[in-house]
Amino acid sequence: MLTDIEIAQSCEKKNIAEIAEELGIPEEYVEMYGRYKAKIDYRYLKENADKKDGKLILVTAINPTPAGEGKTTTTVGLSDALRKIGKKSVVALREPSLGPVFGIKGGAAGGGYAQVVPMEDINLHFTGDFHAIGAANNLLAAMLDNHIQQGNSLNIDPRRITWKRAVDMNDRQLRNIIDGLGARSDGTPRQDGFDITVASEVMAVLCLASDIPDLKSRLARIVVGYTYDNQPVTAGDLKAQGAMAALLKDALKPNLVQTLEHTPAFIHGGPFANIAHGCNSVTATRMALKLGEYAVTEAGFGADLGAEKFLDIKCRMAGLKPNAVVIVATVRALKHNGGVNKVDLGKENLEALEKGMPNLLQHVDNITNVYKLPCVVAINRFPTDTEAELKLIEDRCRELGVNVALSEVWAKGGEGGIKLAEEVVRLCEQPNDFTYSYDLNMSIMEKLEAIARRIYHADGVDLVGNASKQLIQLESMGFSDLPICMAKTQYSFTDDPNKLGAPRNFRISVRNLKVSAGAGFIVALTGDIMTMPGLPKVPAAEKIDVDENGVITGLF
């Protein structure tokens, strides 16, 4: 059996200029990055604002296993399948972070015969967007510390700095550090730390900004810390937004690539869904909508995280309305939610599968009854799945009136997703009454409670540690009308990764509330969620290599 990278390296790619031409993008908007990658100038959107949008399809999933359940694979395969049934489709995805690539989860380019290419480039440096985001993040950190060193005219309290440095790597050693040591000229010693780049607010800002003026405005609003008299200090106060935007001007442009079957794909931005809002850029999604009859996009992790934020944050801010939702489920994830140990997920276990089904059904109920959107369950088939297991899922879904389709895109490409594509087209023609899970005019606490009760099915929210004081401060600063971005484990509806399935009789503990004023939301950190992951005992990096000809191996 070929590996993902062997499949990707054996395919014949079209020159990206040809893909852009097929989409009807004039040459003046296309900036080539070699033969198979290009950036598309966001001016295209402004100059085609009156062009009719296509249908918007969101791909999400049940609570996953640590290895993921194939959302990207399904998103790519569905878009290929739509083209096979005569529809003009465009896919919009997030860019992979090097942290998961070298860690345990893998990249974000799909898998098997449903991939975007060039796979190695996309999973590694790509067009340098993440490097630019990290540089902008760290420029702001450097200017902040330099301001304190040079006299601190803004009266910043070094103990109340909230802005961290960033690196796009899983490096637990950098979570908590002391910097500024040495001579007086080496800075002011203080406690500091790093976030992974995909958790940086700069990433979220880039993904929500519409153009350079909007980008600069959002960057200027970023709160980096507080003064001795408890007033917020912003990047604008430090006069950092212009230089930051200069670093980000090219990163703001969406990247155009292709699938193995030459379906156009925009890959742009990548905020973590268990920390930030977990969606590709608004600009990339809008381009896909303008250029295709169907725009297929995804949101990170399970629907309780990625889909909730896509619908309550991204759609609300961008004025988007999805036409259908695909919920990816796998036999192994359902068995995992039914209590099966990771090493036994490849063995047939119908009893555990039954026990895990409530997890799937709760996600379906949230999409159809809370957000009032039509949805279909896509059973993403793995080689270890048995016919009895697949039949059980289909039977239970149909018994409960849940739309379901078997997806075999990993093994068969677009051909394996035709039934799913036909069902999605049918659902897109149905009217829907899309609504949000909470109103913005609610208080911060009411919004937290709405997400916890309506989406997680919790009994409520407890503010622990400094969260109560932070709530009062955020309200006094005028941030009550912002949406909420929950930072929560992806493995459970609760804030405890060990509580699987569809738990009841639990509460959500919020231990930290902070404003991402540039992105335009309040981040609520729950449980033990961390903004800097660590590598596993055996990182994927150990298997990655490159030969004397520059050919990369071991990348999935």
Side-chain angles (χ1 to χ4, degrees):
M1 184 181 295
L2 295 177
T3 63
D4 288 350
I5 193 168
E6 288 170 339
I7 292 170
Q9 290 172 341
S10 65
C11 80
E12 287 190 18
K13 298 182 287 288
K14 290 185 177 181
N15 189 295
I16 200 63
E18 189 177 344
I19 300 291
E21 185 179 356
E22 290 174 3
L23 279 174
I25 304 174
E27 187 178 346
E28 63 190 278
Y29 300 108
V30 182
E31 299 175 10
M32 302 291 288
Y33 276 63
R35 296 176 183 171
Y36 306 117
K37 300 170 289 185
K39 280 189 170 290
I40 307 301
D41 197 313
Y42 42 78
R43 288 183 301 115
Y44 176 84
L45 278 178
K46 292 195 172 183
E47 294 170 20
N48 289 272
D50 295 334
K51 190 174 180 181
K52 184 180 177 181
D53 285 348
K55 305 286 188 182
L56 179 58
I57 302 155
L58 170 65
V59 178
T60 182
I62 66 173
N63 292 101
T65 65
E69 304 320 306
K71 274 192 319 300
T72 306
T73 300
T74 304
T75 304
V76 171
L78 171 58
S79 199
D80 286 338
L82 285 164
R83 286 168 71 86
K84 281 194 173 294
I85 62 172
K87 307 297 182 182
K88 186 179 180 182
S89 66
V90 180
V91 66
L93 300 169
R94 295 168 296 160
E95 297 179 49
S97 163
L98 293 179
V101 167
F102 294 131
I104 188 171
K105 191 174 183 294
Y113 290 89
Q115 295 188 57
V116 280
V117 287
M119 181 261 225
E120 309 98 303
D121 293 7
I122 293 166
N123 276 315
L124 297 176
H125 300 286
F126 202 19
T127 56
D129 292 346
F130 282 21
H131 300 304
I133 290 163
N137 181 105
N138 295 335
L139 169 64
L140 178 55
M143 291 181 71
L144 170 60
D145 280 312
N146 182 64
H147 179 89
I148 296 172
Q149 175 75 7
Q150 302 295 345
N152 197 9
S153 62
L154 290 173
N155 202 31
I156 300 167
D157 183 349
R159 295 165 301 179
R160 300 204 60 206
I161 290 173
T162 56
W163 192 251
K164 294 184 177 182
R165 287 163 167 81
V167 62
D168 193 35
M169 199 65 63
N170 287 1
D171 193 347
R172 63 172 58 82
Q173 197 76 8
L174 296 176
R175 286 176 191 158
N176 298 285
I177 64 171
I178 301 292
D179 55 19
L181 299 177
R184 188 173 181 179
S185 61
D186 294 324
T188 302
R190 68 178 180 88
Q191 187 172 344
D192 200 357
F194 278 72
D195 289 336
I196 190 167
T197 300
V198 280
S200 168
E201 186 179 349
V202 177
M203 175 70 80
V205 163
L206 181 104
C207 288
L208 293 168
S210 56
D211 52 26
I212 287 178
D214 184 35
L215 176 68
K216 287 198 288 188
S217 176
R218 288 176 178 274
L219 291 171
R221 295 198 299 268
I222 291 175
V223 174
V224 298
Y226 296 87
T227 64
Y228 284 104
D229 54 356
N230 210 31
Q231 296 303 306
V233 179
T234 66
D237 294 329
L238 294 166
K239 300 181 176 61
Q241 70 271 25
M244 293 172 72
L247 286 170
L248 296 167
K249 71 177 182 67
D250 291 322
L252 190 60
K253 302 169 185 175
N255 307 296
L256 178 66
V257 290
Q258 62 192 290
T259 72
L260 294 175
E261 299 182 14
H262 312 306
T263 299
F266 286 104
I267 300 185
H268 193 219
F272 264 13
N274 61 348
I275 297 167
H277 66 292
C279 312
N280 63 267
S281 74
V282 169
T283 303
T285 301
R286 282 182 169 150
M287 279 197 181
L289 285 166
K290 293 296 182 189
L291 292 163
E293 295 175 305
Y294 294 84
V296 188
T297 190
E298 68 165 332
F301 295 128
D304 55 317
L305 279 172
E308 186 272 312
K309 295 170 184 180
F310 180 91
L311 299 169
D312 283 322
I313 296 176
K314 179 175 176 175
C315 287
R316 195 190 311 252
M317 288 187 180
L320 300 172
K321 180 180 178 181
N323 297 92
V325 176
V326 177
I327 298 178
V328 178
T330 61
V331 167
R332 65 177 190 171
L334 287 169
K335 287 190 291 191
H336 177 65
N337 276 281
V340 174
N341 190 286
K342 183 171 68 173
V343 297
D344 296 320
L345 291 177
K347 302 174 185 176
E348 183 178 286
N349 191 330
L350 299 181
E351 182 181 356
L353 200 55
E354 285 271 19
K355 287 181 180 178
M357 282 297 293
N359 183 272
L360 168 60
L361 298 175
Q362 184 162 307
H363 286 296
V364 171
D365 181 69
N366 287 346
I367 296 298
T368 55
N369 292 320
V370 176
Y371 296 106
K372 302 188 185 305
L373 290 168
C375 83
V376 56
V377 172
I379 306 171
N380 183 28
R381 184 169 195 167
F382 277 68
T384 55
D385 299 343
T386 68
E387 294 298 330
E389 289 174 324
L390 295 168
K391 185 176 186 301
L392 188 150
I393 301 172
E394 286 199 54
D395 289 347
R396 293 297 176 270
C397 286
R398 296 192 193 284
E399 286 168 12
L400 296 166
V402 174
N403 301 309
V404 61
L406 182 64
S407 174
E408 298 181 281
V409 297
W410 181 85
K412 301 177 181 179
E415 192 69 32
I418 287 178
K419 287 184 180 179
L420 176 62
E422 290 171 343
E423 181 63 14
V424 164
V425 169
R426 184 184 73 82
L427 292 178
C428 282
E429 298 307 314
Q430 295 183 1
N432 71 65
D433 301 312
F434 173 51
T435 187
Y436 307 114
S437 72
Y438 56 83
D439 294 326
L440 285 184
N441 58 12
M442 290 179 171
S443 70
I444 295 172
M445 193 65 193
E446 285 173 334
K447 284 181 273 200
L448 289 169
E449 289 272 354
I451 295 170
R453 292 178 183 274
R454 302 191 72 193
I455 305 302
Y456 309 154
H457 294 245
D459 293 333
V461 172
D462 296 321
L463 301 183
V464 299
N466 291 325
S468 295
K469 290 181 181 178
Q470 292 164 342
L471 175 65
I472 294 169
Q473 182 182 31
L474 290 173
E475 289 177 335
S476 69
M477 290 164 57
F479 293 124
S480 295
D481 60 346
L482 297 182
I484 302 294
C485 184
M486 298 292 280
K488 182 184 74 68
T489 177
Q490 64 268 35
Y491 300 121
S492 172
F493 277 107
T494 77
D495 53 18
D496 180 351
N498 298 309
K499 291 183 178 178
L500 305 178
R504 294 292 185 271
N505 304 313
F506 67 93
R507 299 182 68 82
I508 297 291
S509 295
V510 173
R511 59 179 172 82
N512 188 289
L513 288 167
K514 64 176 184 177
V515 65
S516 290
F521 49 66
I522 291 169
V523 179
L525 281 89
T526 71
D528 297 322
I529 198 70
M530 291 178 294
T531 55
M532 169 56 82
L535 290 172
K537 188 172 183 178
V538 182
E542 292 185 6
K543 301 175 183 176
I544 298 171
D545 201 358
V546 58
D547 68 15
E548 66 275 12
N549 298 313
V551 177
I552 294 173
T553 56
L555 195 64
F556 324 117

